[in-house]
Amino acid sequence: MESTLIIIRGNSGSGKTTTAKRLQQHLGRGTLLVSQDVVRRDMLKVQDRDGNLSMDLIRQITEYGRGKCEHVIVEGIFSEQRYGDMIRELIQFYNGKAHSYYYDLSFQETVRRHNSRSKRTEFGEDSLRDWWNAEDYLRVDGEVQLTDEMTQDEIVEMILNQI
């Protein structure tokens, strides 16, 4: 089986997890979803620092899916500075059969989206501002920028059409 890697990146609160879960639901059984927050915060309880344990585990889970799952979705903030090399290596590992998406939203739109979700009580605008990393592109071939004007439905539909 040839597997397709789907990478969804962007700032906290932008809609990455919602998009990834909707894609997994649509693509069905055997679609592997690797969420940075699940691995880093839930499974390992580590902070997002250089060399943290989650980096290797995310890579290993994602590599595991190649040849076993038709679609492997990797989603998270994945800052280019800290995770860029790993993501580019995963694209190569999947023989370039990868689609990369980056939520390139304004800060105001990110706050609006964050305030519409249940996690809004866990952290607020000040934290979002502290974590903000604008225009954090991977600069890989075909990287698609998801913008303020695009609805969740449009984004999911576009990704499904592209893969």
Side-chain angles (χ1 to χ4, degrees):
M1 169 189 306
E2 192 172 18
S3 303
T4 299
L5 178 63
I6 303 165
I7 301 156
I8 303 172
R9 302 173 49 252
N11 281 293
S12 184
S14 57
K16 304 172 302 294
T17 303
T18 301
T19 298
K21 286 179 177 179
R22 286 188 57 191
L23 288 169
Q24 184 186 37
Q25 183 178 13
H26 182 87
L27 295 169
R29 293 187 186 274
T31 300
L32 177 59
L33 173 55
V34 185
S35 173
Q36 181 182 20
D37 281 350
V38 170
V39 175
R40 185 182 64 76
R41 293 187 346 206
D42 300 342
M43 294 173 71
L44 292 169
K45 304 243 184 268
V46 295
Q47 292 188 322
D48 193 12
R49 297 201 168 125
D50 288 339
N52 74 72
L53 291 174
S54 71
M55 294 176 79
D56 284 341
L57 186 54
I58 290 166
R59 178 193 324 248
Q60 289 174 10
I61 295 169
T62 304
E63 288 177 354
Y64 171 86
R66 189 183 90 179
K68 296 175 182 69
C69 302
E70 187 174 353
H71 299 98
V72 177
I73 304 165
V74 178
E75 70 87 10
I77 295 171
F78 293 122
S79 68
E80 194 284 327
Q81 180 182 5
R82 186 168 296 141
Y83 294 90
D85 289 343
M86 179 192 79
I87 298 291
R88 285 185 283 274
E89 288 166 9
L90 286 170
I91 291 169
Q92 287 183 329
F93 184 79
Y94 276 75
N95 299 319
K97 190 160 185 204
H99 300 270
S100 181
Y101 301 91
Y102 175 68
Y103 271 93
D104 191 19
L105 305 179
S106 67
F107 181 72
Q108 294 77 18
E109 177 63 14
T110 303
V111 170
R112 188 191 71 72
R113 291 182 185 202
H114 171 68
N115 286 334
S116 72
R117 62 189 196 147
S118 60
K119 278 188 183 180
R120 70 184 172 275
T121 58
E122 291 179 31
F123 54 88
E125 186 173 337
D126 289 343
S127 294
L128 289 173
R129 186 173 283 107
D130 288 344
W131 302 331
W132 185 254
N133 193 4
E135 299 178 358
D136 190 35
Y137 311 120
L138 278 179
R139 292 174 175 74
V140 296
D141 289 343
E143 182 176 35
V144 175
Q145 295 172 21
L146 308 174
T147 62
D148 290 8
E149 296 78 26
M150 302 171 79
T151 68
Q152 189 64 243
D153 289 341
E154 291 169 339
I155 290 167
V156 170
E157 185 177 333
M158 179 193 65
I159 294 172
L160 289 170
N161 287 334
Q162 290 180 352
I163 61 169

